[in-house]
Amino acid sequence: MRPTKILAALALASAMLLSGCGGSSNDPQPSNNDPKPNVETAAAPPPTQPSTPVKGDLTIKMLNVGQGDAILIQTKKQNILIDTSDIDERDKLVAELDKTRIKKLDRVILTHPHADHIGGLERLIKDGKLNIKEIDDNGMTSGSKIYTNYMKAAKAAGISIGHLKDGDELDFGGGVKFKVYYPTAELINEGSQKGYKHDPNNESIVGRLTYKNFSMLFTGDAEKKVENELLNSVHKSELKSTIFKASHHGSKTSAGVDFMKMVAPEYVVISAGEPDIDGGNTYGHPHKAALNNYLKAGVAKSKIYWTYKNGTITITTDGKAWSVTPEVENNWLDAWLDK
Ligand SMILES: [Zn+2]
């Protein structure tokens, strides 16, 4: 077959695959009556992504919860939620979790006690729709009302609260593991001293999920300070990951080029809300400097997704192959870089 014919055949095959594309059989198909996802839509150029989601026993959803983080991990055995959106976005969190039809959360991991990470938890506990078995935080306390309220609710509901630190390894079931790289025991110890001045972003839980050949690095809001510590730690050689959860919502405070080159992900997924909204994403996330560093690390433009533009981002894998499927196809990156 001549190259042009091969290309034509590939295009045809990809068009056929695309027509059969659309979530897992558990997801209700959208009807015309469903509300539009809270994302900008644009005339979608031909997608360059694999158009049929890989059938896998591990699903990771970066939920479209506006400005904040909430990532649902579903293995064969367990459901794990990493962060719980912003307090102002908790209705979105509840709606997104309702869509998944899960009934239990085996573990909720709170990367750090900022409002845009722990904000939805009190509501989830008090709603009582989900059986929450355990909460794991980064071992740092906070005086904020959002923090004390969720702690009170968790205690009243009898949910056990644990702390994660460098060296911990969690079993998510079904062969999926999560190894914690940060914070260190020393930092947690310092943080427990009276008068310690906390730097919550740089106390975030950083951990790497692995499943056979697939891996994903979770970074909370860790900034370059933590990235540099990791580059000088025993974990340096373990940073390389299939998917990178953009640290700090794609802020320029994070994603230093040396760190990104070490992670060298195939995909980057960013959780950040509508730009320039008071009380929301006034930070200009994701920042051009961070985006450019993803590109410098070799990430293809078509493999960077942002919840505000792409809606909920669904990753499925059987550990050998993987697919990343946005709710909305939207190649926003070039226009965003040109702004
Ligand atoms: Zn944050």
Side-chain angles (χ1 to χ4, degrees):
M1 209 184 263
R2 282 172 31 216
T4 46
K5 283 201 174 163
I6 294 170
L7 283 175
L10 281 172
L12 181 64
S14 124
M16 285 164 71
L17 284 169
L18 182 66
S19 64
C21 151
S24 73
S25 55
N26 293 331
D27 291 333
Q29 293 300 308
S31 77
N32 290 338
N33 297 328
D34 283 342
K36 288 261 182 299
N38 179 35
V39 290
E40 280 186 0
T41 48
T48 51
Q49 296 306 306
S51 34
T52 302
V54 167
K55 286 226 181 306
D57 33 29
L58 170 62
T59 301
I60 301 172
K61 282 177 183 282
M62 178 174 258
L63 303 175
N64 180 23
V65 290
Q67 185 65 12
D69 271 8
I71 302 147
L72 179 68
I73 299 164
Q74 294 177 271
T75 74
K76 261 193 269 188
K77 306 270 182 196
Q78 296 185 19
N79 300 323
I80 301 101
L81 185 65
I82 300 187
D83 288 331
T84 62
S85 82
D86 192 276
I87 187 145
D88 296 332
E89 310 277 23
R90 57 200 155 169
D91 290 347
K92 287 182 195 162
L93 174 70
V94 169
E96 286 293 324
L97 289 172
D98 280 350
K99 277 194 229 167
T100 69
R101 299 178 184 181
I102 58 166
K103 297 278 181 274
K104 60 156 188 170
L105 281 173
D106 296 273
R107 206 184 275 277
V108 177
I109 294 174
L110 301 171
T111 60
H112 64 297
H114 270 157
D116 59 326
H117 295 258
I118 66 169
L121 185 51
E122 184 194 5
R123 166 81 177 271
L124 292 187
I125 296 169
K126 288 192 169 168
D127 275 0
K129 285 195 280 187
L130 292 169
N131 175 13
I132 301 174
K133 295 185 179 166
E134 182 175 340
I135 297 166
D136 290 308
D137 65 23
N138 65 344
M140 305 286 186
T141 55
S142 162
S144 80
K145 238 189 148 63
I146 299 171
Y147 176 85
T148 50
N149 284 351
Y150 104 69
M151 288 292 274
K152 263 190 235 163
K155 278 178 190 155
I159 302 168
S160 67
I161 298 177
H163 313 297
L164 299 182
K165 62 175 189 314
D166 176 24
D168 289 344
E169 194 165 344
L170 306 180
D171 186 351
F172 285 173
V176 180
K177 297 275 166 40
F178 185 79
K179 198 169 169 187
V180 180
Y181 296 162
Y182 210 83
T184 60
E186 293 77 22
L187 184 63
I188 295 172
N189 185 39
E190 280 174 39
S192 69
Q193 311 293 320
K194 211 164 176 257
Y196 181 80
K197 205 170 169 329
H198 284 279
D199 177 6
N201 287 346
N202 287 321
E203 296 167 357
S204 289
I205 292 172
V206 177
R208 184 166 171 267
L209 175 149
T210 53
Y211 181 41
K212 298 177 191 167
N213 297 333
F214 173 87
S215 54
M216 180 161 172
L217 189 65
F218 293 87
T219 48
D221 282 356
E223 300 175 349
K224 287 174 186 167
K225 177 179 181 285
V226 174
E227 294 174 358
N228 290 333
E229 281 188 49
L230 290 172
L231 286 175
N232 288 303
S233 77
V234 293
H235 302 304
K236 180 179 180 179
S237 60
E238 303 164 38
L239 294 172
K240 168 113 187 65
S241 298
T242 316
I243 300 188
F244 178 63
K245 195 296 294 187
S247 34
H248 200 191
H249 319 283
S251 164
K252 65 177 175 183
T253 60
S254 308
V257 71
D258 291 344
F259 182 75
M260 286 315 304
K261 281 183 176 170
M262 195 53 74
V263 180
E266 182 180 348
Y267 291 91
V268 176
V269 290
I270 306 161
S271 185
E274 183 171 2
D276 310 320
I277 288 292
D278 270 354
N281 184 5
T282 47
Y283 319 98
H285 298 155
H287 198 277
K288 285 177 197 179
L291 293 168
N292 279 319
N293 285 349
Y294 307 151
L295 298 176
K296 280 181 199 161
V299 184
K301 282 183 176 175
S302 60
K303 294 187 175 182
I304 299 173
Y305 291 105
W306 172 14
T307 51
Y308 174 62
K309 297 284 188 181
N310 297 110
T312 289
I313 300 155
T314 303
I315 299 151
T316 49
T317 178
D318 57 9
K320 293 180 197 138
W322 41 85
S323 59
V324 179
T325 310
E327 192 175 12
V328 177
E329 287 285 357
N330 181 343
N331 290 2
W332 51 272
L333 188 68
D334 279 323
W336 188 252
L337 286 173
D338 284 345
K339 259 172 61 130

